[in-house]
Amino acid sequence: MRPAAPLPLSFYARTPEVVARELLGKRLFRRTPSGLLCGTIVEAEAYLADGDPACHASRGKSRKNATMFGPAGRAYVYVIHARHCLNVVTEREGAPSAVLIRAVEPLRGVAQMQRNRQTDVLRDLARGPARLCEAMVINRLLDGWDLTLGRSLWIAEGDNVAPLPTIAVSHRIGVTSAHDLKLRYYLAGNTFVSGTQKLNGKPS
DNA sequence: CTACCGATTGACT
DNA sequence: GTCAATCGGTAGA
């Protein structure tokens, strides 16, 4: 697939639950010196500005999470367990909400992703937030990047194939608080979604 | 400065 | 299924 036009600011300027759900099936593009990388988003989690202790912004603004407090449509890249994770900022300036992109299905630049990840296993290239970042060369230099520019890193419309895949919902993976919130969205049955088979087969 | 933690991953039983 | 390595960010002495 050729590079497609970036989604506009209006796409991101909505609640994180809506953005997370609508990101499924969209395409994540990354242009590197070694070539263009692209994958279909198959899993995303919402983090709320209010009433969500799992959200990094819930304990106030800091150098690390400052991007979340800025305008929508920017990338929020942070490090956890010595690994990177990619979010998109939602809503508006002053409302620190975001959507974590947890997995993509590799579409283009597979050979480079295999080199970046040091594995040939297609399913393991971008199944998980940190794997995705390693495969697509996403690091803290991209924190705050404007995703509506259509350069370096952006998200575009995907093919609207029929029948539309079923969207499933579950609790978020890995978070140690707010386990009752069902804010993880994924394409049911897609092999590139992270998490256990039990969780994905029986959302709770 | 040290100490602790985590929105993870990969190796192992 | 279990478990520990990982290291930047943050809090606290």
Side-chain angles (χ1 to χ4, degrees):
Chain A
M1 77 306 321
R2 302 195 310 281
L7 297 172
L9 175 61
S10 57
F11 177 88
Y12 301 101
R14 299 177 291 171
T15 66
E17 298 99 312
V18 169
V19 174
R21 177 177 284 267
E22 297 210 2
L23 275 176
L24 300 181
K26 298 290 190 291
R27 283 175 182 164
L28 177 65
F29 283 92
R30 170 80 170 113
R31 194 182 289 285
T32 77
S34 311
L36 184 69
L37 306 174
C38 177
T40 302
I41 298 171
V42 298
E43 180 184 1
E45 287 177 352
Y47 287 84
L48 314 182
D50 295 299
D52 183 5
C55 181
H56 287 168
S58 66
R59 288 179 295 280
K61 192 174 178 178
S62 71
R63 186 193 226 95
K64 162 181 155 180
N65 66 21
T67 301
M68 282 186 85
F69 289 79
R74 306 293 180 92
Y76 167 46
V77 181
Y78 71 93
V79 179
I80 189 163
H81 294 286
R83 292 167 166 91
H84 296 279
C85 292
L86 171 67
N87 300 247
V88 302
V89 179
T90 55
E91 296 184 290
R92 64 193 175 278
E93 194 158 356
S97 61
V99 172
L100 170 68
I101 300 177
R102 284 196 55 92
V104 306
E105 176 174 345
L107 282 184
R108 172 170 171 161
V110 169
Q112 189 188 340
M113 292 192 206
Q114 288 170 328
R115 283 196 300 278
N116 294 342
R117 290 273 303 122
Q118 309 234 22
T119 178
D120 289 337
V121 182
L122 192 61
R123 184 164 180 263
D124 288 343
L125 293 183
R127 181 172 47 92
R131 290 170 173 155
L132 179 165
C133 286
E134 190 173 32
M136 299 185 81
V137 200
I138 294 165
N139 50 50
R140 278 230 90 188
L141 296 176
L142 284 167
D143 183 45
W145 185 262
D146 188 341
L147 298 170
T148 66
L149 297 176
R151 296 198 310 266
S152 296
L153 181 67
W154 72 99
I155 298 171
E157 204 60 58
D159 285 340
N160 290 315
V161 292
L164 290 175
T166 302
I167 295 175
V169 183
S170 82
H171 67 79
R172 292 171 293 186
I173 291 183
V175 299
T176 52
S177 60
H179 232 256
D180 52 321
L181 296 177
K182 307 294 190 294
L183 294 174
R184 170 176 175 255
Y185 302 86
Y186 59 98
L187 297 184
N190 188 291
T191 183
F192 294 92
V193 170
S194 73
T196 64
Q197 191 174 357
K198 181 178 173 186
L199 170 64
N200 293 335
K202 212 167 83 171
S204 59

